[in-house]
Amino acid sequence: MLRRVLAGVPAGEEPLTHVAELPERAARVVPWPEWTPDPVRAAFTACGVREPWSHQVEAAEHAHAGRSVVIATGTASGKSLAYQLPVLTALTGDTRATALYLSPTKALGADQLRSVSALDLPGVRAASFDGDTPTAERDWVRAHARWVFTNPDMLHRGILPAHGRWSMFFRRLRYVVVDECHSYRGVFGSHVALLLRRLRRVCRRYGADPVFVLASATVSNPAASATRLSGVDCAAVADDGSPRGARTVALWEPPLLDDVAGENGAPVRRSAGAESARILADLVIEGARTLAFVRSRLGAELTSLGAKRILAEVDADLPDRVAAYRAGFLPEERRALEAALADGRLLGVASTNALELGVDIAGLDAVVVAGYPGTLASFWQQAGRAGRAGDGSLVVFVARDDPLDTYLVHHPTAVLDKPVEATVTDPGNPYVLAPQLACAAAELPLTADCLPDFGGEQARAVLDDLVAEGTLRKRPTGWYWTQRERPHGLVDIRGSGGDQIAVVEADSGRMLGTVNPGNACATVHPGAIYLHQGSSYVVDELDLESGLAMVHPETPEWTTTPRELVDITILDTVSETVHPALGGGEVRVCLGEVAVTSQVVAYLRKLPSGEVLDQIPLDLPENTLHTRAVWYTVTEDLVTGKGLDRAGLKRSEVPGALHAAEHAAIGLLPLFATCDRWDIGGVSTALHPDTEQPTVFVHDGHPGGAGFADRGHAALIPWLTATRKAIAACECPEGCPSCVQSPKCGNGNDPLNKKGAIAVLTAVLNTIRD
């Protein structure tokens, strides 16, 4: 397959930077546990599972014995059987027992429900209860279902607030399955951690103490991560006994384009989406069933369209074998695409990470990863979608024009040999803890005995604030919710900032999809291009108060990119370390609370080549975010002075040097924290009013912080070292998107000084290492 892809590379281009051949792995099978009921064993055998793999039985034994457990093994390693076996054993052995399954996406929940239903075990009565469940069916599920498949959103908004209607289900609850638990990170993960504590509290109210079974992609320290998420001690099973076919991993860097210039005349690479569209088309022509993972909804649509155009020149029937798949589609659209991919009607799909998590798509030959997905866990999860039947497979990682991607394709050990990350959650974040405690109190009055589960003294301090503002009332027996309306509908556990913005076609009134309100100003501002199912629309109006973006169909030749202005104020310095420099001066490294004020002020119109047509101003509201940041300051003599430990810059070069160092640091932080570039932001200035020094900030993009700045602070030296290497290794002369330019820079990537950034980072590292 790789030979076919390379055959399509134009003469003179050499995009392949590294190829690794990962060996196959033989299966380790073990006998079924003695406690497995005959009907359950027969059902699995009828579905093709004659003997389980070693890790499946190890995890099932823990759960059957009443020990909460996390199974952290690779994609397609059969984690589902590891929790299905003990759950189905309990449900068939005790006709009163119940179980709850939670997944981060509806698609995964529906897929797992189909898997359980296919076993056809009498009396299990597995059913879905999510946003797609018709109202008429919900009463039946509450009254009769014994294994309920749902997601954290529905548990938060629909089940726990009405726990009295679920009393029989909770009273008999034996198991709680938390699937793909590595995806619960940052603000979302912190909300889910507290949500699971609310769930356990309600269960105790009805006399139940369920066993938690968590399933995860391979992560660092899975026992600690699962324990922090669930609130119960979890054993870990990480020794993967499943078979794996040989896998070829190719690292791919698109070439710089001739005669095309980007912002400020910087060189531009062929986009990862365009390159992936060509690779996807080549693989479809080969007959290889292929998934291309693309970073954004817009990118997935464009990659699908690009592949269709190429295929139309080869065979008129081939474009119909390719489609886009992303969040925001209506439920019936998602189901139709999943079915077409599963039965082979579709050969190629360009998808966001909506298909990363667990949907069982067997028989894929290749995966194209268009841009680093933010974490190694996600990268290997996406890569593992190919070769699911144990056959050989191809994985092509196509670098975006981005500092981190550039670093990774030129440092293959950082992808292939580095251990995966631990998940980052902070359930103590007061912006998360306060609304969760309000929801908990509305479900059942909070008592002092409850507080250890929610952070102890930290929770008590938050409760005092809620009492002071009148949200809760303190009585001798505990804390009580005082309002008529329950708070659940106002608490957005995914950190998106509230209810979704509906995208509506103005002429017909047809709803095309939804967008996250936190991203609305950047994605559906007036003039923005919005793609849906291959059709292009232009946004006419964005009404944030009513939650509507009105669009009309149009197919311009350009795409749009927002521009944002950002300012930052230090509120509280939590940690400060002073590093004196040889010959005078110092570097201060700090961690603390900040207020970030941002505003989308304009957007660029760009041709597919990357060429910028123009910049159009916008009038959109400001937004202020209270969050956490890591920052360093340097004294002016370190920046402008001469000598080995000095940057030696002219004063006029300092703003561009700091700006370039900030951009590159933002791009490289996902290598050290489980975050995406769009989860974080930054500000740099030659003289910040709060520090009175040249300063570089990198901050979390979520209220109260999500742990990313803290992780960067803890890994400051390796983080800045990798940042310096990435800038120095880039082949461009003056700076480009692969090293120091940022796609969301509100200043239009001006000023930037690539050589100055290297000099500043060298001076900082020389000082803090001493």
Side-chain angles (χ1 to χ4, degrees):
M1 286 185 287
L2 182 58
R3 188 178 298 111
R4 166 69 196 186
V5 172
L6 288 170
V9 174
E13 293 183 7
E14 295 182 0
L16 201 61
T17 63
H18 185 79
V19 177
E21 300 290 346
L22 306 185
E24 65 179 346
R25 180 181 63 210
R28 284 181 281 130
V29 297
V30 296
W32 292 98
E34 293 181 358
W35 44 263
T36 307
D38 289 339
V40 173
R41 183 181 306 169
F44 280 121
T45 302
C47 289
V49 183
R50 296 187 177 276
E51 290 181 295
W53 295 319
S54 56
H55 64 280
Q56 295 173 321
V57 170
E58 183 183 355
E61 291 280 14
H62 279 294
H64 182 72
R67 294 184 293 269
S68 292
V69 61
V70 56
I71 178 168
T73 53
T75 311
S77 60
K79 292 186 286 287
S80 299
L81 187 144
Y83 58 75
Q84 288 172 357
L85 180 56
V87 171
L88 292 172
T89 295
L91 296 183
T92 55
D94 178 359
T95 58
R96 294 163 54 87
T98 61
L100 181 68
Y101 170 95
L102 297 172
S103 71
T105 66
K106 294 177 185 177
L108 174 56
D111 185 73
Q112 290 301 303
L113 175 58
R114 285 192 293 269
S115 174
V116 168
S117 299
L119 294 171
D120 199 25
L121 284 164
V124 170
R125 297 202 299 272
S128 173
F129 192 87
D130 60 27
D132 294 344
T133 305
T135 303
E137 293 181 16
R138 296 188 181 190
D139 288 341
W140 184 93
V141 174
R142 274 190 294 265
H144 302 291
R146 299 182 59 216
W147 193 352
V148 173
F149 287 71
T150 187
N151 51 59
D153 310 82
M154 183 58 81
L155 179 65
H156 163 65
R157 291 193 177 204
I159 296 178
L160 291 182
H163 62 81
R165 302 180 68 187
W166 291 83
S167 59
M168 293 300 293
F169 179 85
F170 282 126
R171 186 170 289 117
R172 300 166 177 177
L173 188 61
R174 293 278 298 277
Y175 287 101
V176 175
V177 176
V178 184
D179 208 354
E180 303 291 3
C181 65
H182 67 282
S183 66
Y184 300 121
R185 59 178 178 83
V187 169
F188 182 36
S190 301
H191 272 291
V192 171
L194 293 167
L195 175 63
L196 294 179
R197 286 155 177 77
R198 286 166 45 201
L199 170 63
R200 290 174 50 233
R201 182 167 168 263
V202 166
C203 290
R204 287 195 296 270
R205 163 68 176 78
Y206 294 105
D209 185 18
V211 173
F212 279 71
V213 184
L214 296 93
S216 170
T218 305
V219 294
S220 176
N221 202 350
S225 296
T227 297
R228 185 168 58 250
L229 179 67
S230 65
V232 297
D233 290 334
C234 293
V237 175
D239 186 10
D240 196 334
S242 65
R244 186 184 67 197
R247 182 180 296 163
T248 299
V249 180
L251 305 186
W252 192 283
E253 184 177 42
L256 291 170
L257 296 171
D258 295 329
D259 304 322
V260 175
E263 266 190 301
N264 307 314
V268 175
R269 294 189 185 279
R270 185 180 300 139
S271 74
E275 195 82 337
S276 298
R278 188 187 62 75
I279 294 172
L280 176 61
D282 284 342
L283 289 167
V284 168
I285 292 169
E286 184 76 4
R289 296 180 63 191
T290 305
L291 260 180
F293 284 103
V294 190
R295 297 298 307 280
S296 68
R297 296 181 180 188
L298 176 62
E301 295 275 11
L302 290 173
T303 299
S304 171
L305 287 171
K308 285 174 178 285
R309 281 195 293 267
I310 295 169
L311 292 169
E313 297 175 1
V314 178
D315 185 330
D317 294 329
L318 283 178
D320 292 335
R321 307 292 299 277
V322 174
Y325 184 104
R326 59 171 175 81
F329 280 0
L330 301 178
E332 55 271 22
E333 293 174 321
R334 293 199 308 268
R335 301 290 180 263
L337 285 169
E338 290 161 19
L341 184 57
D343 64 21
R345 282 175 288 156
L346 286 176
L347 270 180
V349 170
S351 173
T352 60
N353 63 357
L355 281 179
E356 175 185 323
L357 299 176
V359 178
D360 189 12
I361 308 162
L364 293 181
D365 302 298
V367 161
V368 180
V369 181
Y372 185 62
T375 68
L376 285 171
S378 287
F379 173 79
W380 289 115
Q381 187 81 352
Q382 292 179 1
R385 283 281 162 234
R388 294 179 65 88
D391 298 328
S393 60
L394 171 66
V395 177
V396 183
F397 169 41
V398 181
R400 287 180 304 161
D401 216 354
D402 174 270
L404 178 55
D405 287 39
T406 301
Y407 178 85
L408 292 174
V409 293
H410 290 286
H411 296 81
T413 57
V415 178
L416 302 172
D417 300 332
K418 186 180 176 182
V420 295
E421 313 87 348
T423 54
V424 178
T425 56
D426 180 17
N429 178 342
Y431 289 87
V432 175
L433 186 54
Q436 287 289 332
L437 286 173
C439 291
E443 290 155 7
L444 294 167
L446 284 162
T447 66
D449 292 341
C450 301
L451 298 192
D453 280 347
F454 292 96
E457 289 305 313
Q458 193 171 15
R460 187 179 290 272
V462 171
L463 286 172
D464 289 342
D465 291 340
L466 292 173
V467 170
E469 68 186 32
T471 301
L472 299 183
R473 179 176 298 168
K474 177 70 169 70
R475 295 176 177 169
T477 53
W479 291 265
Y480 289 75
W481 176 248
T482 61
Q483 314 298 317
R484 180 183 298 273
E485 296 293 330
R486 292 180 180 271
H488 300 73
L490 301 177
V491 179
D492 174 25
I493 66 172
R494 292 184 184 263
S496 59
D499 292 332
Q500 297 288 296
I501 302 294
V503 181
V504 177
E505 187 177 22
D507 289 343
S508 67
R510 180 169 65 104
M511 189 175 84
L512 302 176
T514 60
V515 297
N516 183 318
N519 297 330
C521 287
T523 56
V524 287
H525 57 76
I529 305 299
Y530 179 81
L531 290 181
H532 179 74
Q533 286 284 54
S535 298
S536 174
Y537 298 84
V538 173
V539 180
D540 298 313
E541 179 186 359
L542 172 61
D543 187 337
L544 294 171
E545 290 188 5
S546 60
L548 286 175
M550 307 303 291
V551 303
H552 71 269
E554 186 179 337
T555 310
E557 59 179 341
W558 60 82
T559 59
T560 53
T561 304
R563 282 288 173 254
E564 187 175 37
L565 290 179
V566 181
D567 194 15
I568 195 164
T569 302
I570 298 172
L571 302 176
D572 181 37
T573 302
V574 175
S575 170
E576 180 178 67
T577 306
V578 180
H579 301 271
L582 293 174
E586 65 184 27
V587 174
R588 289 179 182 261
V589 177
C590 303
L591 178 72
E593 311 288 335
V594 297
V596 182
T597 302
S598 62
Q599 183 180 22
V600 176
V601 295
Y603 66 95
L604 301 181
R605 297 192 303 167
K606 290 184 178 181
L607 295 175
S609 65
E611 181 182 353
V612 177
L613 291 175
D614 54 16
Q615 178 169 301
I616 299 174
L618 291 169
D619 182 17
L620 293 171
E622 283 188 348
N623 178 56
T624 298
L625 171 73
H626 288 190
T627 187
R628 286 174 74 88
V630 54
W631 66 92
Y632 63 85
T633 68
V634 292
T635 49
E636 186 173 331
D637 55 342
L638 268 179
V639 181
T640 59
K642 304 292 184 182
L644 291 177
D645 296 319
R646 302 298 193 259
L649 301 176
K650 298 176 183 177
R651 279 188 172 83
S652 61
E653 296 175 321
V654 173
L658 296 173
H659 195 195
E662 170 223 325
H663 281 183
I666 291 171
L668 268 293
L669 183 56
L671 194 60
F672 301 91
T674 353
C675 67
D676 182 270
R677 180 178 187 143
W678 298 89
D679 288 327
I680 51 182
V683 175
S684 60
T685 175
L687 182 64
H688 191 272
D690 294 336
T691 66
E692 299 182 344
Q693 299 284 358
T695 310
V696 173
F697 294 87
V698 175
H699 64 83
D700 284 8
H702 300 279
F708 306 136
D710 294 67
R711 187 61 62 91
H713 181 259
L716 186 73
I717 291 177
W719 172 29
L720 295 186
T721 299
T723 301
R724 185 193 178 284
K725 285 182 179 179
I727 301 172
C730 185
E731 60 188 296
C732 76
E734 299 294 337
C736 71
S738 292
C739 57
V740 298
Q741 285 196 346
S742 169
K744 57 177 183 175
C745 178
N747 294 322
N749 285 297
D750 183 49
L752 288 178
N753 187 321
K754 177 181 177 179
K755 292 179 181 177
I758 296 172
V760 167
L761 289 167
T762 300
V764 170
L765 287 165
N766 285 344
T767 302
I768 64 180
R769 281 172 175 157
D770 292 337

